[in-house]
Amino acid sequence: MAAVTVTTDPAGASPRGGRVQAPGRGLGEDWKRHIVGQLKHRDLSQHAQFQDLIRFYTRLLEKTSLTKGILSCSLSRPSFDSSCSISSLLHQKKQLKKTTGELAYQVVDLQQQIKIKERDLEEQHARLAEEEHRLAGALDARQELQERVEQVQEENGALKTEYDSLLERQRAAEMRLREEKVREEHLLEDMIHLKQQAAARMNSRNERKSRAREAKLQKELQTAARAKVTVDTCSSAPTSRSTSPKTENQPESEKRHTRLFRSASATSPRILSSIRELFDRKRRGHSVCSLEEDLVCPVGIWGSARVPVRALQVLEAHEQGINAVRFSASSDLLATGGTDRVIKLWEVRAGSLTHRATLDGSTEGITCIEFDPAGFRILAASYDKSALLWRLDDSVPKLTLTGHSRKVTAARFSSCLHQVVTGSADRTIRLWDLHRAACVQEVEVVSYCSDLVCSENCIISGHYDSKIRVWDTRTVSCIQELPAQGKVTSLDISSDHRQLLSCCRDDCLQLLDLRRRSNERMCFRAEGFKCGSDSTKAVISPDSCFLAAGSADGAVYIWNVSTGNLETRLPDKHSLSISAVSWSLSGEYVVSVDKSRRAVLWSDI
């Protein structure tokens, strides 16, 4: 243990210039206790020093009292010398008092300094203890963090190992997928080749049968042409190939009324060509047809539209807001789609909606719905940058068309049954081939596409730059631009493809006659009608006599096309802005949907 050396004066009264040697390193906490002991020892020595000072001060007081006694004795014997000694003693007394006061003041000052030092020492001890406690806590926390780091490193190592294994499995799965795709392509090619061979064999067989039938028919026709037929002018008796015995026995006058003729018309080129065309049609009927020839498209019955007057049914159709609604061509099926990422199918019977099926597969909300003309498939646009195609008897999408970089706002069937058109917020319009599930044409537009409709060889699109553009699908070019009064939120085309309806953010519906080259159009406004959003959908009635749109105040507004006036207003069934309206092709029902999950079935019944 290191020693502490304290140097004192020769009398041993007080320490003089004490010096503490620093303890050696590596001795742990002993040096601290040693220093504390030395400090206590120094405190005791200083206290003893002040005891000596007090003792000296007491002795000085005793000497002062003794001096007072001597002075009193000297004053009792007056003399000249004594007077001198008394004055000197008084002077000494004053000096002693002065010295005594200074010493007393120094004593008090030293005592105050001792108290201050003791308080500082206590504070230093408290701070030292607190820092030692904090140090211990920091060491514990450091140990815990170090253990946690080691644990996390182990977990990361395990995750890295698992990730590597999963990556290897994914690569192997991708390799197998590529192999399966190649195998599928080969199998598809083989199947197509076999189908072609089977079709060729069937066509050859049908051709041989047709030729045999044609040859047989030709032979019968030639035989019939060579036969002679007797026609009786006065009766409708059956003919025979030769004259009957009865005619041979008739007199000459009766034979004049009977003539023999040859059916030359049966062998005329016109009849033979007609027969050949008939057989050609039969041969073509047995050949392999394309998808468009095999697909039968029932035509929806366009009824006279009836203006609805009351709500037949109000229901909470979805879990979240509804963005789109559409009737099928047969008017007995309704589809709704919303932000809950599903499409719900409803059967329309006797003035009520009954849930039939739910189509899922989209990862985000639905923006647009369209039935195909045959009524077997349904097409939808989605916020997940894709368009999806379902069969009505399957809840899983048959096709998913991906390629847009932003949400798809519109998806429609084109005039060709195997093609669809999509418009997107990425300022492109794409034409898709459903046979290949691939984009065959892409058109870049200068503005956000909000909606589109299709006509024969044309695509009409509405945009946020207040323009309606007409595109020719054969040349992939814009052939006409029609100005609008505001952002175009929706487009709808009449059943006969003669009129185009646009809804804009300026709270106005515009009806354009596509047969005219001029930009003249009819505008429809109403007090209280407000276009609630950038995707509000308006529709034309099936007979093109009325227009319907939903307003931000939750009411359905219906205008008369012939008069241009508001026909009716249907309020009080929607609590929020109406997002879309659909009119059945039968003209009997109107359905409106809003952002609060509500669908309302309207009719005049």
Side-chain angles (χ1 to χ4, degrees):
M1 180 179 294
V4 177
T5 305
V6 179
T7 306
T8 61
D9 59 354
S14 62
R16 186 177 55 191
R19 185 183 62 182
V20 179
Q21 296 182 357
R25 296 181 179 178
L27 298 180
E29 299 293 330
D30 295 338
W31 63 275
K32 296 179 182 180
R33 289 193 295 272
H34 182 71
I35 290 175
V36 171
Q38 291 295 324
L39 290 173
K40 290 181 178 180
H41 178 72
R42 189 176 67 180
D43 182 61
L44 292 175
S45 63
Q46 289 179 355
H47 187 268
Q49 178 182 1
F50 284 108
Q51 290 291 335
D52 295 340
L53 183 60
I54 292 170
R55 187 170 56 255
F56 291 154
Y57 179 74
T58 305
R59 290 178 182 177
L60 184 59
L61 291 176
E62 290 176 355
K63 289 180 181 179
T64 303
S65 61
L66 180 61
T67 304
K68 287 181 179 179
I70 294 172
L71 286 174
S72 61
C73 293
S74 299
L75 289 173
S76 62
R77 294 179 297 179
S79 63
F80 178 79
D81 295 332
S82 61
S83 61
C84 294
S85 61
I86 287 170
S87 60
S88 62
L89 287 174
L90 291 174
H91 180 70
Q92 291 179 358
K93 182 178 180 181
K94 291 180 181 180
Q95 291 294 331
L96 287 173
K97 286 182 178 181
K98 184 177 179 180
T99 305
T100 302
E102 291 177 355
L103 291 175
Y105 178 77
Q106 291 178 2
V107 168
V108 173
D109 190 16
L110 290 174
Q111 288 178 349
Q112 292 293 331
Q113 292 180 5
I114 290 172
K115 291 180 180 180
I116 293 172
K117 294 295 183 181
E118 288 178 350
R119 285 197 299 269
D120 292 341
L121 185 61
E122 290 177 356
E123 291 177 358
Q124 292 292 334
H125 284 313
R127 289 177 58 188
L128 181 62
E130 183 179 357
E131 293 297 332
E132 289 177 352
H133 180 70
R134 290 177 58 188
L135 178 61
L139 291 175
D140 294 339
R142 178 178 176 275
Q143 184 67 25
E144 292 179 358
L145 290 175
Q146 189 172 1
E147 294 176 356
R148 178 60 180 165
V149 167
E150 293 175 355
Q151 182 181 357
V152 170
Q153 287 178 350
E154 293 177 358
E155 293 177 354
N156 288 340
L159 290 175
K160 182 66 168 56
T161 304
E162 184 178 0
Y163 172 76
D164 293 338
S165 63
L166 289 175
L167 187 59
E168 291 297 328
R169 289 172 58 187
Q170 181 190 3
R171 290 174 180 171
E174 289 179 350
M175 182 67 69
R176 290 195 300 272
L177 178 62
R178 286 194 292 269
E179 293 175 355
E180 290 296 330
K181 285 184 177 180
V182 173
R183 185 164 169 255
E184 179 186 0
E185 291 177 357
H186 291 325
L187 289 175
L188 184 60
E189 291 177 357
D190 295 341
M191 184 178 67
I192 292 174
H193 183 64
L194 292 175
K195 288 286 186 182
Q196 290 175 350
Q197 290 180 350
R201 288 195 298 271
M202 183 179 294
N203 289 336
S204 177
R205 227 174 10 252
N206 294 334
E207 186 74 21
R208 287 197 300 270
K209 290 180 181 179
S210 298
R211 288 178 180 175
R213 286 194 299 268
E214 186 177 357
K216 183 178 179 181
L217 184 60
Q218 288 282 359
K219 187 176 180 180
E220 291 177 354
L221 289 174
Q222 290 175 3
T223 303
R226 286 194 298 269
K228 294 181 180 181
V229 181
T230 302
V231 179
D232 192 356
T233 58
C234 61
S235 65
S236 59
T239 61
S240 62
R241 293 186 180 181
S242 61
T243 59
S244 62
K246 185 177 181 180
T247 59
E248 293 178 355
N249 299 328
Q250 287 178 351
E252 289 292 328
S253 59
E254 293 181 1
K255 290 182 180 179
R256 293 175 184 174
H257 298 284
T258 305
R259 66 189 181 106
L260 298 176
F261 75 96
R262 200 177 159 196
S263 180
S265 62
T267 58
S268 64
R270 184 176 299 174
I271 293 178
L272 292 177
S273 63
S274 300
I275 293 172
R276 289 193 187 97
E277 288 177 3
L278 177 62
F279 280 106
D280 290 341
R281 290 195 191 101
K282 288 186 177 181
R283 282 199 301 271
R284 287 196 296 269
H286 289 287
S287 63
V288 177
C289 299
S290 64
L291 178 62
E292 293 128 354
E293 293 172 350
D294 290 337
L295 187 60
V296 178
C297 298
V299 179
I301 301 175
W302 301 341
S304 177
R306 294 179 289 183
V307 178
V309 295
R310 68 184 187 91
L312 298 182
Q313 187 178 3
V314 179
L315 56 93
E316 301 291 331
H318 286 255
E319 296 181 359
Q320 298 180 22
I322 308 174
N323 299 327
V325 60
R326 180 74 63 174
F327 275 99
S328 65
S330 58
S331 301
D332 60 352
L333 195 62
L334 179 76
T336 57
T339 55
D340 56 357
R341 303 176 293 182
V342 299
I343 294 176
K344 291 190 177 182
L345 301 179
W346 309 85
E347 291 184 354
V348 185
R349 292 181 180 176
S352 65
L353 300 177
T354 304
H355 183 257
R356 172 178 169 180
T358 299
L359 309 179
D360 53 13
S362 176
T363 58
E364 294 189 30
I366 303 296
T367 60
C368 179
I369 299 174
E370 172 99 330
F371 282 95
D372 73 332
F376 302 130
R377 298 174 297 178
I378 188 169
L379 179 68
S382 174
Y383 280 95
D384 64 0
K385 309 174 187 177
S386 68
L388 300 96
L389 181 71
W390 288 269
R391 289 185 61 88
L392 296 184
D393 55 357
D394 191 359
S395 62
V396 179
K398 181 181 179 182
L399 287 178
T400 301
L401 307 176
T402 58
H404 286 287
S405 59
R406 295 182 65 184
K407 68 177 180 180
V408 180
T409 55
R412 307 287 185 188
F413 287 96
S414 71
S415 56
C416 298
L417 297 178
H418 67 281
Q419 291 182 344
V420 298
V421 183
T422 58
S424 172
D426 62 1
R427 300 180 180 182
T428 63
I429 297 173
R430 295 179 181 237
L431 182 64
W432 305 82
D433 188 341
L434 296 182
H435 290 168
R436 295 184 291 167
C439 177
V440 294
Q441 289 182 359
E442 179 181 356
V443 179
E444 294 186 357
V445 197
V446 297
S447 178
Y448 181 117
C449 178
S450 57
D451 199 4
L452 56 85
V453 292
C454 296
S455 183
E456 186 176 358
N457 298 325
C458 287
I459 300 172
I460 306 174
S461 59
H463 301 271
Y464 274 13
D465 62 351
S466 304
K467 294 287 181 64
I468 299 173
R469 293 176 172 86
V470 182
W471 307 85
D472 190 340
T473 57
R474 295 166 295 186
T475 60
V476 197
S477 61
C478 180
I479 59 176
Q480 191 176 8
E481 279 192 2
L482 306 174
Q485 300 301 320
K487 287 183 181 179
V488 180
T489 65
S490 73
L491 296 176
D492 192 29
I493 195 167
S494 61
S495 301
D496 55 5
H497 290 191
R498 294 181 179 180
Q499 293 178 315
L500 177 69
L501 174 66
S502 65
C503 179
C504 301
R505 288 293 279 171
D506 64 341
D507 306 326
C508 177
L509 304 185
Q510 294 185 348
L511 189 64
L512 177 67
D513 192 340
L514 297 177
R515 296 170 296 180
R516 299 179 181 177
R517 293 295 181 181
S518 62
N519 292 332
E520 295 180 1
R521 64 196 74 186
M522 296 179 63
C523 295
F524 300 85
R525 298 179 184 270
E527 184 179 356
F529 175 76
K530 297 290 183 182
C531 185
S533 69
D534 291 342
S535 59
T536 299
K537 308 296 183 185
V539 294
I540 307 175
S541 66
D543 58 359
S544 303
C545 293
F546 301 97
L547 310 178
S551 175
D553 61 359
V556 179
Y557 289 75
I558 299 178
W559 288 267
N560 190 313
V561 174
S562 60
T563 63
N565 298 325
L566 183 67
E567 185 74 17
T568 185
R569 178 179 179 270
L570 306 175
D572 303 333
K573 297 301 179 182
H574 293 279
S575 58
L576 292 180
S577 173
I578 297 177
S579 54
V581 178
S582 181
W583 207 314
S584 65
L585 287 181
S586 64
E588 185 177 1
Y589 300 109
V590 173
V591 172
S592 57
V593 296
D594 62 19
K595 300 295 185 181
S596 65
R597 309 175 295 175
R598 183 171 295 178
V600 181
L601 179 66
W602 305 89
S603 181
D604 66 336
I605 301 174

